[in-house]
Every structure is written in C-alpha cells, then in structure tokens.
Amino acid sequence: MFNNKVSKAVRLAIAFGAASTAALASTAVSAEENTETEEVERIQVTGSKIKRIAATAPTPVVVIGRVELEDAGVSNVNDFLSEMPSAEVGLSPENSNNFIYANGLNTTDLRGLGSSRTLVLVNGRRFIGGSAGDNAVDLNNIATSMIERIEISTGGASAVYGADAVAGVVNIITRTSFDGLEIDAATTRPFEGGGEQTFASLVFGKEFDGGGFIFNYDFADQKQMAKRDKSWWYDNPVSSVPNPNNTGGDDGIPARIPYEGKKHYALYDESSEFFLGGDHWTFDENRNLRPFDNGDGYIPSDPTSSLYRYYAGEYKDGIEEGADEFFRTPLTRHTFNIAGNYEINENHTLSFDTVYSLSEAFGQSTPVFWRSLNIRKDNAFVKDDLRQLMEENEVESITMRRLANDFGPRKYNQERSTFRTSVGLDGFINDNWSYSTYFQHGRLQQDTSWFGEVITENFENALDAVMLNGNIVCANRNDEGEVVGAISGCTPINVMGAPGQHSQDTIDYITTVATAQHGGTQTSFGATVTGDLFELPAGPVGSAFSFEWRRDSAYEEPGTGIRKGLIFGNSGLAYSGSLNVKEYSTEIILPLVVDHEWAQELNLELAYRYMDYSSTGGDSAYKVGLTYQLNDDIRFRATMAESVRAPNIEELYSAAGTQFYGTRFDQCAADTIQNTDEKYRANVIKNCAAAGIPEGWRPSQEWTDGGSIEGKLGGNNTLQNEVSSDVVFGFVYTPAAIEGFDITVDYWSFEIENAIENYNYRELAENCYRADSLDNPFCGFITRGDNFEVVDFFQTSLNAAEEKKSGVDIESVYDFETSIGEFGVKLTATYVENYEINQTGNPIDLLVNTGEQDHMRWRARLNTSYEYGDFRAVLVTNYRHSAVNDRNGWNIEQHDYNDIPSYTTFDLSMNYRVLENVDLRFGIQNMFDRTPPRHPLAFEDTNWYDPIGRRATFGVNIKL
C-alpha cells in the first residue's frame, strides 16, 4: 500500500511537469505515512492559489530544483533560465553593454515575448523591478544559495497573479529555515581571454521548536570581456560590406556580401583626419601633416554607399574594428538575506524575509568623437605645412573628424542598491478554511556616472585657439569673427595629432563626470482565503478569494550638465511618476467526475481577476481550465485564458532624453524608394509627395555622411493595457509498464492585441510613409527641416502592434538504477510552430517570423546524469536549431547569407563527496569550445551563442 501511495505522489508531481521534484512527493508521502485515514496534506503550486488534495493544475508547471542549479554551476539564476528552451535572455551582462542605464541587469524572458511580459515572483509575491519604472525583476537580487526551487508556469497566469504575467510566471521559492552553517566557493576561468568569475556564499541558520531562521550572504564577481580578448574574433572577424558588383535593386546581385578579416573605419582617426585638395590627411607623432595611410586601400564598395566606402582592410590609420567593444560588461554584486518563521500557535504562523542587494557594473563605449571640428587658418596650433596647404586650396578653415582617447574611455558606471522586506501571516480559520496575508515594501536606488565626458561649450571654446599678445588663448570673437580678446578661465586644446599631450588644466576645463540618479519604490499588501465552498458528488468545490493593493513609483534626476544639455551626446529631463492598482480575484475548482469507468477525475477550474489601475482604469483577466485523468497512465489538461499587461511607469511617464539611431536612412530619398518593397512603393511615393517632398529628392551628402541621427527617447502617457488571448492544452503520460519514465506534451498559443511596442527612428519612418495616408500614429514623431532632411525624431511606445506565437513544449524524464549506478535522462524541448508580428495592425504589414534567429523552430536541453555512491556526473547538451535572418522581406538583392546554421554546446559537471560534510565539484562548460557561427548576422550575437568559450569551474561546499 505504501508503494502505491509513493507512486501516486510521484504522478502528482509529474502532472505538474516536475517528475524529478522530490518536494511534492515527500509532502504527500509524509502525510499519508502518519495515518491511512487522514487526508493527504493540501499543497499549493505556482499557477493557482487553491490548495488541493490530489488535484493537478490545468496549466503546465516546470520545477527546477536545487540539484539542477548546483549541477549547472551558475552564480546567477538567469544563467540557468536562459538555457531553458521555453525562456530567453532579456538583459544580461553579455548584451547590456550599450544600454546606458541597464548595464549588468539580468532579466528573463519567457517565450521570447519580452521581459515585461514575464512576471517574476519570490515566494509567490511580487518583487520590485530591477530598473526604475520597469517591472522586470533583476535576478542579480536573488541569491542563488537561497533558492530552494524555481517553478515556471505558462498560460492563464494573469487571472491568478495579475498584470505582467502574459507569457507566464517564474516563481522563485527560497529557503525559509536552515540548521547549521554552509560555506560555498567557486571560480570559473575561461581558457582564453577575460570573463573570469568568482562566487562565494555563506548560509547560517537555526531551527527550534516552533520556528527557525536563516541568514545568507552571496558574493559574485565577473570580469569584463572585450571582443579583442578572443582570438576567434580578433584574428579573423566576420562581417559584411556593400557589394561592389551590385548595379541596382533588380539585377539579381546581392547588395551586401560577407567579409572575413580585420578592417578599420578610415573616416575617423585618433590623430584627427580631413579631406582637402582631393587628398586624405592626418598628422604624425610630431603633429606634422602627412597623407592618411589606408594600407592596402579601401575595401571595394557599392559606389552609391556613403559611409561604407571608407572601410579599409588590415589596420593602418583609422579606427580598428572592435575597439572599445565588449562581449561582457563587468559585474560585482553582494546580496544579503535574512528570513524566518515563528509558529504563534498550531493555527497561525508568522514569517518574514528581507533582502538587501548591492551591485556595480559599467558599460564602456568609444571615447568622445567629433565629426565636424572646425579649425581656422588663424588657429595657433596650425603648423606651417597645414597653413600652406590651406592657402594653396584657398580655404580659411577645415573640418576634421576625431575619435581619440583624449579624456579616457566613456564608462557608464552603475551602482544599484535594492532593499525589500516582506512580512506574512498564514494560518487556519477553521478545519476547512485557511488564510494568507502579507505586507511588503521595496526600494531601488541607482546611481549612474559617466566618465570621460566633455562639456561641449568648453571644448568648442578651447578648440578655437589663437595667439594673442604672445600667448595662446581661447579666442573671444565678435559677430564678424574677429578676435577681440580671450575667454577667461579657458585653456586651449590642440587636436591636430595623437592624444595624450594635453595639460591637466585643459583636461580639467573640458571634462566632467556626468551623473544621474534613478530610483523607485514598491509597496503592496495582499490577502487570500482558500477553502471548500460545498460538496459535489465528485468532491468538494475548492476556492480562493484574493485582494491585492500595490503602489509603484519611480523617478529620474539627471545631473545639471545633462539637464541643461551641456554634455556631449547626453541630455535629459527629470521626471517622477507613480501608479497604484487594486485587484480582486476569485478561483474556483469544480470536481465534475471521480472514479468513473471512463474517468478517474474530471475537474473544471475557473479564475477571474478585476484590476483597477490609476493609469489605465479598470480591466479584467480570466481563465477556464479542464483536467481529465483517464487512468493511472494518462492525464489531459487544457486552459483558455485572457491576460493583461498594463504599461509600466517608464513607458508612461519617462522624460525625453537624447537618443541616437546609428544608420542614416530616409524613407523618402529616391534611392530608398527605388529599393522599397513593391507592395509599399506606391504608398511611399504618394505620402512623400503629400509631405511636400519633391520627386527624385535626395538628402545632401553632408546629411548622409553625418553619422548617427540624433533624436529623443521618452514615454507616452496615453498608452493603454495590452490584452493577450492564451490557449494551452496537452497531456501527461506516465506508463506503469516503464518505471521511472514520464513524458508531457503541451501546445501553447498567445495572441496579443493592442500590444505595446517601442518604435525606433527607422520603424517610425517606414510605418509613417508606408501607410495608406499620413494620418497614422507614426508620422507625428519625425521632424523635417526646411530642406526636407530629418532634423529630429521621438522614439516612444505605442499601442499599435499585434503579436501571435504558438508552439509545443515537450518534457520527458527517465530515471533507472543498475548494478553500476543510477542513471537519469531529462529532455526539455520547445518547438515554435508560428510567430507573427504586425507593428501597425494593418494587414499589409503582417510579418511571419517563424524560424528566424529570434524565433528558431527548435530549442532543446538534454540532461544526462550518472550517480554512484558519493560521485555524481551530469552532461548537459544545449541545442539551437538552424534559422534564417529574415523570412519575410529577404531576397537575393539584399545579401546572400540569410541561412544561419544550428548550434550545439556541451557542459560537463562532476561532484564528489570527499568527506561527510565536504563536496568538491568540477565542470567544463562549452567543452568543445564552440564559437558563434561564422556568419555576418550571428558572429557577434550573444543572446543565442556563447562568446565566452571553453571554461572550467572549480567549487567546494562545506556543511557544518
């Protein structure tokens, strides 16, 4: 009889997608061991707030235990989640270097629908967002050594947990008590280049009659990793260049072709460069004029291309490819936790948990660069050779470009501190009803400092150096340009030559450390009562009723230089915003059939939530679920739901700040119209004409060669909630004939309407002029000057998009024992059946992106384990299916490298218990040193491919 109960408990866990999770099984078994006549203890899992007896959720729940995290050897839970086939990386140190306020953040992204659509809970409760105004949780704040397990639920979660749970819920369950002392230390060392990691943790706790407590400290440090640290990248990088053989948009010849090898950008130089008299010039180490050295010359290029024609081959003069570019931003974090529980009496328990996290990261970009340094002939630093050249060409000034480390690299240093405390009271009202209440408060503060920045006005003053009364001074000129004196306090600068020759007075006058402060708070209260309403022939009707109140606030306070627009490339205004929400929810589970010849169980589950937002008003979400247990071997489940995501504070209220779009593009330029997809061309011609732009118009060469387009980025307080229709159905098969084996298969579908998307400059321009008329949501965010050239844009979010995504999840576990040890195999896979996005809602704009690199068909993770005595080994295989870059608009006219190959890595970890309380572990990640595919569109992609390479992990765990 006992074995049957164990089997039943394990099947219960399997039905939740957690066959290997001992927690559920042990709960049920321990309850039944006490007495055969008592009820099995009710349990609660992510996906529902109803505590159930031998019931299973209609939505899949995947459980990741401590053992799996330990086997992976990760110091941050996001490193593990990113390898789950159902999840993707939102932000991470590998992809956040160029996000000024996001360096070092770690966020997860279920289904690839966006981190803002994934709700991360800690012990079933919300956690303050990792960035001011954003709800996405920074997983740096979750101490790995405190995690007991992770439960991932998808489909219908919004009705249970509220907004943001469109794609699902990641519920991180932490340890609530501990008895003893545990010390853990580990280091990870790549075989080549930077990116080293160090991790250490301390866990101390005490359990006593009626309660216990636990204290934890985690320390993690990962080093910066530059692109040029890796020989596979530096020795022979892969990119693309314009095709010199291309003759137009309908010749069947690709406009771009792959390019392998080092190259440099010859339009900038650290010694400054300029064109004059048909020649290209720069300066030698003595600041004397010399011809610009292109080595073997320019890379062949499409003659209609502007900036690309200045790319040259092996490095000579100019800016070397990969300079100041990084695969990983450095991150150091400290996390402190204290938690405890106390049994007031046998019916009521008080619990608390507090976390304080401090992290520091920095991003790094190119030094300050100038594309229009105006040097007059009367400049005091102009030598005779340059003055003579200017006289020969009859010019009074030249325009130079410069990208140099004059004032050090521009580093964006981020210091984040997060505090969150939660108090809960749980207990029984009577034999049938129980309750759970909590109050929590969280606070985030983020201080950002920009080093190597320049006060633009001071630099321009210092640049105009003249000789006056025998001294070199900063010129004070009248309206006619005549020197009438010197600017007080200004120290001149000479930019004609290599950096490193400026006086400290000059550096102090020109440079500054720009600053900005961000922060926010989250305060919430919640109460849930759960119990049986009444009895049906098939069993009791379970229910849960909840009320939650939450207030979120955020602010941004840029330093004076940024607010006044005095800093090179940075300007922004202060803002503060807040929103609050009251939520009421109900869950009901109706047992329809039990112990029938055609059904062991048939249950109907209903959930409804009403949300009242101060920002967007009232809205609701619902879920209808069905579970059908046919027999001991097979169970079916299905859910239909409607989910909601409310716009966050940043999307609503953030103030306008400087934003750059990297590539010059104008949808109304004649050559752009010629290369526009035929289905849009007529609308583009019509709308450009309606905007007053002449036929055949082209922007000036000065505009085309002007580098990044400068605009603004900010919030939109007219945003409304987005709504998702969700469907999930599948089955769980646990054949009695194969002990230790199970398989679950689930189909899932999300259809998001009124979707909130952020539109960059190019998307705004294309959507504006490709629409049926200029009366559309996009045109108002682009500003043109008198000569029709774009002079400004405003990047923001709009409720204009639609998204659909569907696929299948497969999870299978097989554990078996032999005379030589225990073996285990766990396969987790996700297949994307369809992904569609429509950025405007107009039928003509529908894109089917299924099978593209960001939505590849298959992702799979195979975990194979072997255990014998005190030894355990695990081999993990991660697979990414082959993909294409563009399934919709691509044709051979664009390029000939649309196909991207598959990608597989292998990780091996071993653990050996050398003493009763001492475990040693060793691992090799990316065993075969698999680098990203040598493909122009994948070679530098750190979301899908591993740039770190082969690395070894060593660790020790001591329990006292």
Side-chain angles (χ1 to χ4, degrees):
M1 179 128 184
F2 175 72
N3 287 336
N4 290 336
K5 291 173 182 175
V6 172
S7 177
K8 183 177 181 180
V10 171
R11 289 201 304 274
L12 177 63
I14 290 171
F16 288 114
S20 60
T21 304
L24 293 175
S26 62
T27 301
V29 172
S30 61
E32 295 202 49
E33 280 183 311
N34 292 332
T35 172
E36 295 186 6
T37 60
E38 290 185 13
E39 284 188 332
V40 178
E41 182 182 349
R42 298 185 180 216
I43 59 175
Q44 179 180 327
V45 296
T46 300
S48 174
K49 293 185 178 181
I50 299 177
K51 296 182 179 180
R52 308 158 185 241
I53 301 171
T56 55
T59 52
V61 178
V62 176
V63 180
I64 302 163
R66 282 186 57 78
V67 173
E68 283 191 77
L69 291 173
E70 291 170 354
D71 288 341
V74 297
S75 61
N76 189 296
V77 65
N78 199 33
D79 295 338
F80 184 93
L81 291 176
S82 65
E83 294 186 354
M84 297 296 293
S86 61
E88 299 176 7
V89 174
L91 286 171
S92 73
E94 283 76 33
N95 67 14
S96 63
N97 181 70
N98 292 320
F99 292 84
I100 292 177
Y101 293 129
N103 291 319
L105 286 177
N106 266 296
T107 64
T108 190
D109 176 5
L110 287 178
R111 303 294 184 206
L113 293 174
S115 296
S116 59
R117 294 175 182 148
T118 297
L119 179 59
V120 174
L121 304 174
V122 177
N123 298 320
R125 302 168 187 171
R126 284 182 178 258
F127 198 93
I128 187 169
S131 181
D134 190 4
N135 294 333
V137 173
D138 182 9
L139 294 172
N140 290 322
N141 297 319
I142 312 301
T144 310
S145 58
M146 278 289 287
I147 297 175
E148 185 65 37
R149 67 184 184 276
I150 302 171
E151 299 174 352
I152 303 175
S153 173
T154 59
S158 187
V160 178
Y161 294 105
D164 308 329
V166 171
V169 172
V170 176
N171 189 11
I172 300 173
I173 310 300
T174 62
R175 300 155 86 173
T176 58
S177 65
F178 181 74
D179 197 83
L181 175 67
E182 181 179 359
I183 300 171
D184 194 278
T187 183
T188 299
R189 291 292 184 267
F191 280 51
E192 180 192 35
E196 300 87 353
Q197 294 188 76
T198 302
F199 173 78
S201 71
L202 170 70
V203 180
F204 170 74
K206 183 68 177 177
E207 294 179 346
F208 49 82
D209 187 25
F213 73 91
I214 182 172
F215 169 80
N216 154 261
Y217 167 64
D218 269 19
F219 167 78
D221 179 64
Q222 67 178 34
K223 302 301 184 184
Q224 187 177 46
M225 187 174 69
K227 288 183 178 179
R228 295 193 289 182
D229 285 340
K230 300 297 182 181
S231 61
W232 59 266
W233 188 93
Y234 183 69
D235 290 345
N236 193 23
V238 177
S239 58
S240 67
V241 295
N243 186 355
N245 298 320
N246 183 35
T247 61
D250 56 3
D251 59 0
I253 299 173
R256 300 186 68 82
I257 54 175
Y259 180 84
E260 294 196 17
K262 297 179 183 180
K263 65 178 186 291
H264 68 283
Y265 190 39
L267 198 59
Y268 286 87
D269 190 82
E270 65 175 8
S271 295
S272 300
E273 51 78 30
F274 64 97
F275 290 90
L276 188 60
D279 294 317
H280 198 177
W281 302 92
T282 187
F283 301 90
D284 64 18
E285 62 275 8
N286 297 315
R287 300 184 181 269
N288 295 314
L289 195 64
R290 71 166 175 83
F292 195 91
D293 185 0
N294 279 318
D296 295 332
Y298 292 129
I299 295 171
S301 176
D302 181 349
T304 65
S305 170
S306 58
L307 300 182
Y308 282 100
R309 68 169 172 262
Y310 296 111
Y311 273 108
E314 188 71 21
Y315 180 70
K316 289 295 182 180
D317 290 336
I319 304 303
E320 187 176 12
E321 186 175 17
D324 298 295
E325 295 183 19
F326 300 87
F327 279 129
R328 169 179 277 181
T329 189
L331 172 66
T332 302
R333 58 189 178 94
H334 306 265
T335 310
F336 301 86
N337 287 269
I338 185 167
N341 62 88
Y342 177 70
E343 190 177 283
I344 300 172
N345 56 43
E346 63 179 5
N347 290 322
H348 306 282
T349 300
L350 181 69
S351 62
F352 74 92
D353 65 88
T354 299
V355 59
Y356 175 74
S357 176
L358 180 65
S359 66
E360 183 176 7
F362 72 79
Q364 184 172 332
S365 66
T366 63
V368 177
F369 58 92
W370 293 274
R371 50 178 171 260
S372 56
L373 295 173
N374 184 48
I375 304 297
R376 298 170 182 260
K377 192 167 63 174
D378 65 353
N379 190 293
F381 296 118
V382 171
K383 287 191 168 186
D384 291 340
D385 53 0
L386 176 55
R387 185 172 288 108
Q388 181 179 348
L389 181 66
M390 295 172 71
E391 291 173 351
E392 290 174 357
N393 287 274
E394 300 180 348
V395 297
E396 294 300 315
S397 65
I398 58 172
T399 299
M400 301 193 310
R401 285 162 295 272
R402 182 180 183 87
L403 194 161
N405 202 19
D406 293 288
F407 313 112
R410 283 188 296 164
K411 292 186 177 182
Y412 313 118
N413 192 73
Q414 311 280 333
E415 290 187 1
R416 299 184 184 92
S417 63
T418 302
F419 171 81
R420 184 253 199 181
T421 188
S422 177
V423 179
L425 183 64
D426 301 82
F428 294 95
I429 301 171
N430 55 36
D431 290 342
N432 184 40
W433 289 86
S434 63
Y435 72 91
S436 176
T437 64
Y438 73 89
F439 172 83
Q440 69 176 18
H441 177 74
R443 176 188 57 79
L444 166 72
Q445 182 174 330
Q446 175 177 309
D447 296 325
T448 306
S449 301
W450 288 264
F451 298 93
E453 290 291 354
V454 165
I455 302 173
T456 304
E457 183 180 6
N458 288 7
F459 176 78
E460 291 175 351
N461 289 340
L463 186 65
D464 191 7
V466 296
M467 183 70 70
L468 184 66
N469 300 325
N471 297 311
I472 299 178
V473 298
C474 305
N476 182 12
R477 298 179 185 267
N478 60 22
D479 293 341
E480 285 71 36
E482 300 169 335
V483 178
V484 295
I487 298 176
S488 177
C490 175
T491 306
I493 187 171
N494 183 1
V495 294
M496 289 168 279
Q501 303 181 49
H502 311 309
S503 70
Q504 190 60 48
D505 288 342
T506 299
I507 294 173
D508 292 343
Y509 174 69
I510 293 173
T511 63
T512 187
V513 177
T515 61
Q517 289 187 338
H518 296 72
T521 62
Q522 181 184 86
T523 304
S524 60
F525 166 80
T528 300
V529 293
T530 181
D532 297 335
L533 294 175
F534 51 86
E535 193 84 14
L536 291 177
V541 176
S543 66
F545 302 93
S546 298
F547 168 77
E548 292 175 88
W549 174 88
R550 185 176 81 255
R551 183 180 189 275
D552 291 303
S553 69
Y555 69 89
E556 177 181 346
E557 187 65 37
T560 303
I562 294 179
R563 288 201 312 273
K564 293 185 176 182
L566 304 178
I567 310 299
F568 172 83
N570 287 288
S571 66
L573 302 175
Y575 88 93
S576 63
S578 65
L579 60 83
N580 58 68
V581 57
K582 291 180 287 187
E583 305 184 56
Y584 310 84
S585 67
T586 300
E587 288 185 77
I588 303 291
I589 180 169
L590 296 161
L592 304 179
V593 177
V594 67
D595 294 333
H596 196 278
E597 60 181 6
W598 54 269
Q600 286 187 358
E601 278 185 6
L602 180 63
N603 298 314
L604 175 67
E605 180 175 325
L606 306 172
Y608 177 81
R609 175 174 291 257
Y610 177 76
M611 297 158 277
D612 184 10
Y613 276 87
S614 61
S615 54
T616 56
D619 215 329
S620 60
Y622 71 83
K623 178 175 73 171
V624 179
L626 192 70
T627 60
Y628 171 40
Q629 180 84 38
L630 176 63
N631 51 42
D632 286 346
D633 289 355
I634 191 163
R635 169 180 291 271
F636 298 94
R637 57 194 178 193
T639 297
M640 182 175 66
E642 185 172 276
S643 301
V644 170
R645 183 178 86 84
N648 60 44
I649 294 173
E650 183 179 31
E651 291 168 328
L652 288 165
Y653 306 124
S654 61
T658 301
Q659 176 73 354
F660 292 94
Y661 186 77
T663 304
R664 290 273 160 162
F665 165 85
D666 195 309
Q667 178 62 77
C668 288
D671 52 349
T672 306
I673 294 175
Q674 180 184 357
N675 293 321
T676 297
D677 193 313
E678 186 175 351
K679 67 180 181 180
Y680 294 115
R681 195 174 301 159
N683 277 353
V684 171
I685 293 172
K686 176 183 66 174
N687 288 327
C688 291
I693 299 173
E695 182 180 355
W697 173 83
R698 286 181 172 84
S700 66
Q701 194 64 45
E702 182 181 4
W703 186 93
T704 302
D705 289 348
S708 302
I709 302 176
E710 183 175 343
K712 297 290 189 295
L713 168 70
N716 178 2
N717 60 14
T718 67
L719 291 174
Q720 297 298 312
N721 295 348
E722 58 181 25
V723 179
S724 174
S725 299
D726 315 331
V727 174
V728 179
F729 60 86
F731 68 88
V732 182
Y733 182 50
T734 57
I738 309 177
E739 184 177 354
F741 174 79
D742 77 82
I743 184 170
T744 67
V745 179
D746 290 285
Y747 172 85
W748 47 268
S749 173
F750 299 90
E751 184 172 337
I752 305 172
E753 296 180 348
N754 215 30
I756 300 170
E757 295 288 341
N758 190 271
Y759 295 87
N760 62 34
Y761 163 70
R762 182 168 188 139
E763 291 164 340
L764 291 169
E766 289 181 339
N767 293 338
C768 167
Y769 295 104
R770 293 180 178 184
D772 291 335
S773 73
L774 295 178
D775 184 16
N776 62 67
F778 305 98
C779 291
F781 298 101
I782 297 174
T783 304
R784 293 182 180 273
D786 294 337
N787 56 355
F788 306 113
E789 294 172 346
V790 174
V791 295
D792 196 15
F793 68 91
F794 188 78
Q795 179 173 328
T796 192
S797 298
L798 300 169
N799 288 105
E802 297 175 356
E803 286 189 59
K804 296 179 183 180
K805 195 168 190 177
S806 59
V808 177
D809 287 343
I810 302 171
E811 183 177 4
S812 183
V813 176
Y814 184 35
D815 298 316
F816 58 95
E817 297 184 18
T818 71
S819 59
I820 59 171
E822 300 177 16
F823 293 85
V825 180
K826 181 177 182 180
L827 172 67
T828 309
T830 292
Y831 173 76
V832 176
E833 174 206 36
N834 183 51
Y835 176 72
E836 300 177 5
I837 185 168
N838 190 322
Q839 284 200 335
T840 68
N842 298 323
I844 195 174
D845 293 320
L846 177 65
L847 299 176
V848 180
N849 295 338
T850 317
E852 292 185 351
Q853 187 169 215
D854 290 345
H855 309 280
M856 59 190 68
R857 288 286 190 180
W858 281 101
R859 292 184 63 197
R861 177 182 173 88
L862 179 64
N863 186 308
T864 307
S865 64
Y866 170 72
E867 191 168 351
Y868 184 81
D870 293 326
F871 175 77
R872 176 179 172 83
V874 178
L875 177 65
V876 176
T877 305
N878 285 300
Y879 171 75
R880 308 284 187 268
H881 194 259
S882 58
V884 296
N885 174 63
D886 183 1
R887 180 179 170 181
N888 297 275
W890 176 84
N891 59 63
I892 195 63
E893 288 290 341
Q894 297 175 4
H895 54 74
D896 59 357
Y897 45 84
N898 200 43
D899 294 329
I900 300 171
S902 62
Y903 183 80
T904 305
T905 59
F906 299 87
D907 303 330
L908 176 66
S909 64
M910 292 173 284
N911 187 294
Y912 183 65
R913 179 156 294 172
V914 294
L915 297 172
E916 183 178 357
N917 58 347
V918 179
D919 286 7
L920 296 179
R921 60 184 183 272
F922 169 74
I924 296 288
Q925 295 169 289
N926 197 346
M927 290 174 57
F928 301 107
D929 201 22
R930 183 72 190 275
T931 61
R934 293 192 60 79
H935 187 284
L937 300 172
F939 193 61
E940 298 182 3
D941 192 310
T942 56
N943 290 318
W944 298 114
Y945 311 108
D946 177 19
I948 306 172
R950 185 188 296 119
R951 51 203 181 272
T953 298
F954 306 88
V956 59
N957 182 278
I958 302 172
K959 295 184 178 70
L960 301 174

